[in-house]
Amino acid sequence: QVQLVESGGGLVQAGGSLRLSCAASGRFFSTYYMGWFRQAPGKEREFVAAINWSDSNTYYGDSVKGRFTISRENARITAYLQMNSLTPEDTAVYYCAAGRTPQYDYIYWGQGTQVTVSS
């Protein structure tokens, strides 16, 4: 089992920045991907970003490319999502997940953290 705990959400004005953190514990394997997804009210869950834990290759959804950056801290088994140039369209619950591929087959999920961007 892997436990994931997100933190760092909150309220920010358009154009601002936030950094989300996801701390993993339990049987987290270096072969996993750590990913971020988001879901806004009335919308489907959307892939945001992922990082390969072993080689740090990164992957991004089209809507966040150039604005968001995913990174990891190996010693703490923590992934970060730096979000810049936020817009109200980025408002959603952001979930951290651990899985076997960059965008699919995620096995473990965090509880989510709310990000609200005001105009």
Side-chain angles (χ1 to χ4, degrees), residues 8-113:
L11 174 64
V12 64
Q13 288 189 332
S17 299
L18 277 177
R19 189 177 81 154
L20 305 183
S21 300
C22 176
S25 60
R27 292 174 59 84
F28 184 86
F29 296 107
S30 62
T31 54
Y32 281 163
Y33 291 81
M34 189 85 88
W36 287 95
F37 294 78
R38 66 186 183 186
Q39 188 164 22
K43 294 188 177 181
E44 293 186 354
R45 187 172 62 198
E46 177 187 12
F47 169 74
V48 175
I51 187 166
N52 182 307
W53 207 258
S54 62
D55 62 18
S56 295
N57 281 343
T58 57
Y59 308 82
Y60 295 94
D62 289 340
S63 62
V64 306
K65 282 180 182 176
R67 300 188 299 123
F68 291 11
T69 302
I70 189 170
S71 61
R72 67 171 177 84
E73 185 175 353
N74 198 38
R76 297 187 178 188
I77 319 179
T78 298
Y80 303 97
L81 185 68
Q82 177 67 42
M83 305 185 294
N84 299 328
S85 302
L86 286 162
T87 73
E89 289 68 39
D90 295 314
T91 296
V93 177
Y94 283 71
Y95 297 92
C96 171
R100 300 189 181 103
T101 65
Q103 294 192 39
Y104 307 101
D105 198 16
Y106 277 81
I107 309 165
Y108 304 103
W109 293 83
Q111 80 286 354
T113 186

